[in-house]
Amino acid sequence: MAEEENVQIDPVVEEEEESTTYKPPPEKSLQEMIETDKEDESLRKYKETLLGSSAAGAVVVDPNNPKRVLVRKLVLLAEGQPEKELDLTGDLDALKDEAFTIKEGISYKIRIDFHVQREIVTGMKYIQRTFRKGLLVDKMTHMVGSYAPKEEVQSYTTPIEDAPSGLIARGHYTVKSLFTDDDNNEHLKWEWSFNIKKDWN
């Protein structure tokens, strides 16, 4: 990595989040939603379609875990390459030392697999801050959406991103990721890292 030692890095200026007058609606339990307007047959069928198996009662994937969102893994998707996975169910501290290698200039997406249990989760967001040599070089926020509880794994895939390229871009990056929602619940927060290189190895 000697080639990157005297490289000048321009930090990203952290912009203030735009203040908005939007306030999420008051939280309602899954049971309250099912009970509301239950005499309206068409609305009841519509809710059953939206809620799937959770319309029959609470879906609990892991009875020992009280959280509503169980984040399972992060997957790096790049065309022509095998999927690279980070298991988010084990020791999260160990992820900092297991760096992905990303070829400079490639297009890639990130997929996050998760379970939703117990209650509907509204306005989920994936926030990612990328640092190089301690400086913030990129920040992105993706609106993931609202999800009903399901026994099956659900997933969100980011839009295509382009990895930076050139001598200045090559090196080691640290990422701080957060899976949250409109109510500022912290579903999972973790750090991971990657290296941008001239090639995949």
Side-chain angles (χ1 to χ4, degrees):
M1 293 267 180
E3 63 184 12
E4 64 167 286
E5 287 190 11
N6 296 316
V7 172
Q8 176 67 34
I9 302 167
D10 294 326
V12 168
V13 176
E14 180 96 53
E15 295 177 13
E16 289 293 317
E17 296 277 335
E18 284 185 35
S19 64
T20 172
T21 56
Y22 171 75
K23 292 202 184 337
E27 194 172 330
K28 279 190 174 183
S29 73
L30 186 58
Q31 197 56 43
E32 286 175 312
M33 288 183 205
I34 292 168
E35 294 295 321
T36 304
D37 303 317
K38 69 177 181 181
E39 65 282 346
D40 185 329
E41 182 69 15
S42 63
L43 191 53
R44 185 185 60 75
K45 286 183 178 177
Y46 178 65
K47 287 178 189 178
E48 285 175 4
T49 303
L50 287 176
L51 299 174
S53 59
S54 59
V59 172
V60 179
V61 177
D62 182 352
N64 298 320
N65 193 328
K67 290 188 171 190
R68 293 181 185 179
V69 179
L70 310 174
V71 186
R72 301 302 191 185
K73 65 183 171 181
L74 178 143
V75 183
L76 181 73
L77 307 167
E79 194 173 322
Q81 291 296 310
E83 293 182 355
K84 296 181 182 220
E85 297 183 2
L86 282 181
D87 180 2
L88 301 174
T89 61
D91 180 8
L92 296 179
D93 287 334
L95 298 179
K96 297 176 206 171
D97 302 324
E98 300 173 20
F100 283 144
T101 294
I102 300 176
K103 181 182 177 184
E104 65 180 355
I106 59 109
S107 295
Y108 68 94
K109 294 187 265 189
I110 293 173
R111 187 183 79 226
I112 300 170
D113 293 348
F114 56 91
H115 277 106
V116 175
Q117 65 175 5
R118 303 181 192 282
E119 297 288 344
I120 291 174
V121 180
T122 58
M124 282 202 293
K125 291 184 266 194
Y126 173 62
I127 301 168
Q128 177 175 300
R129 287 184 170 88
T130 306
F131 298 84
R132 178 144 181 239
K133 296 183 178 181
L135 297 175
L136 180 69
V137 293
D138 188 37
K139 178 187 174 190
M140 60 183 181
T141 301
H142 293 287
M143 295 309 297
V144 175
S146 300
Y147 291 81
K150 280 189 184 176
E151 290 181 8
E152 302 80 28
V153 171
Q154 303 184 67
S155 65
Y156 169 76
T157 304
T158 65
I160 292 177
E161 300 278 337
D162 292 323
S165 61
L167 180 63
I168 292 175
R170 291 180 208 145
H172 184 76
Y173 294 78
T174 303
V175 182
K176 294 182 179 181
S177 292
L178 172 64
F179 216 51
T180 185
D181 61 30
D182 278 347
D183 297 316
N184 294 318
N185 294 310
E186 187 179 290
H187 300 300
L188 191 67
K189 187 186 226 177
W190 72 99
E191 286 187 38
W192 53 289
S193 60
F194 63 88
N195 296 313
I196 291 186
K197 296 186 176 180
K198 200 169 185 175
D199 218 325
W200 285 104
N201 29 355

